[in-house]
Amino acid sequence: MNRLPTTTSETMPKPTLVLSVLLLATVLGWSRAVRAIEDYAILRDDVERQAVARAQALRAGESLPELLVVDHRGQRLSLGDLHRSGVRHFYFFRGDCAACTALEPYLLESPVAAGQAFARIAYSRRAGLPQPTAPGTYAVIADALPERRHIASVPAFFTATEDGRVAAAADFEFRAVVGLLDLARVVDGPALLSALATQAPVSSAESEPASDRLTAPASAVRLP
């Protein structure tokens, strides 16, 4: 009686087995190479987009950007309308931004942020936003949003002068945003950064972790 083969190596000639292994390794290698190329393309596009956004970000001395928002009553307003009503501080945030979430408790405790001179503006380019429910809160109208010239990244914060021009602006760098909020006496910046330094790293979807920048200079603040 003939004995049945019990292993794959007994049924497949060794050269064929070797070639199969080499072919599999080649396929896996190409797959990794393709993924690496795709990842590089995504990274390159992101870097280019960030560079353009930085170059087009608000600068001190510019007029308030043409931007429409909706308030808690459903009324459409421009940033100019808000400025004429007494708003001098414009804070942009996104619901899925970890850095914005980290700042939220400090803003809720701030008398300045609760005042009429402070506007909290929800922002999103990808989806419609729900109508705000509280006075002093607004949502960007997506279909009326111009090119991303005034919101380079979130959280973002800028202050306006009496004549409706930008006095100072900060974005990209979490520490810079906190620093400008501190200059405007909205939050206690050093205390906030010290508290966050003991927690998990804070980041937004479009910026580096705040823990990497806690000791960095606030160079992203654009002053006169």
Side-chain angles (χ1 to χ4, degrees):
M1 180 180 296
N2 294 329
R3 184 173 60 90
L4 293 176
T6 57
T7 64
T8 304
S9 60
E10 294 182 22
T11 60
M12 181 181 293
K14 288 185 178 181
T16 304
L17 177 60
V18 171
L19 289 175
S20 299
V21 171
L22 291 176
L23 179 61
L24 179 61
T26 302
V27 171
L28 292 175
W30 274 109
S31 177
R32 293 192 183 96
V34 169
R35 284 199 301 270
I37 293 172
E38 292 174 347
D39 291 343
Y40 171 77
I42 293 173
L43 177 61
R44 182 193 60 193
D45 291 344
D46 185 61
V47 169
E48 292 176 351
R49 180 175 56 84
Q50 294 284 358
V52 171
R54 283 178 183 268
Q56 295 180 342
L58 276 178
R59 294 295 187 273
E62 294 185 1
S63 299
L64 290 177
E66 295 295 329
L67 176 65
L68 290 178
V69 298
V70 61
D71 66 7
H72 65 291
R73 296 167 297 187
Q75 182 178 2
R76 289 192 172 204
L77 302 164
S78 68
L79 295 192
D81 294 330
L82 298 184
H83 182 266
R84 285 185 285 273
S85 70
V87 174
R88 297 295 180 268
H89 305 306
F90 299 83
Y91 171 74
F92 291 86
F93 68 95
R94 197 177 62 233
D96 60 350
C97 163
C100 305
T101 302
L103 279 174
E104 186 67 15
Y106 300 91
L107 294 177
L108 291 176
E109 296 174 356
S110 168
V112 176
Q116 295 183 350
F118 193 94
R120 297 177 67 257
I121 305 172
Y123 164 83
S124 173
R125 285 187 68 92
R126 297 181 178 86
L129 292 169
Q131 181 177 318
T133 58
T137 59
Y138 307 88
V140 172
I141 299 175
D143 58 3
L145 184 65
E147 286 303 312
R148 215 167 92 167
R149 167 173 166 70
H150 48 276
I151 312 172
S153 72
V154 290
F157 178 60
F158 68 86
T159 64
T161 60
E162 292 293 331
D163 63 354
R165 294 188 176 275
V166 177
D171 48 30
F172 279 107
E173 299 290 341
F174 181 79
R175 179 182 173 86
V177 174
V178 173
L180 186 53
L181 287 167
D182 180 76
L183 288 175
R185 299 183 178 180
V186 179
V187 299
D188 183 341
L192 188 158
L193 290 175
S194 296
L196 292 180
T198 63
Q199 302 175 14
V202 178
S203 64
S204 72
E206 300 181 38
S207 61
E208 297 173 0
S211 59
D212 295 340
R213 298 190 299 273
L214 292 179
T215 58
S219 58
V221 177
R222 294 178 289 280
L223 297 169

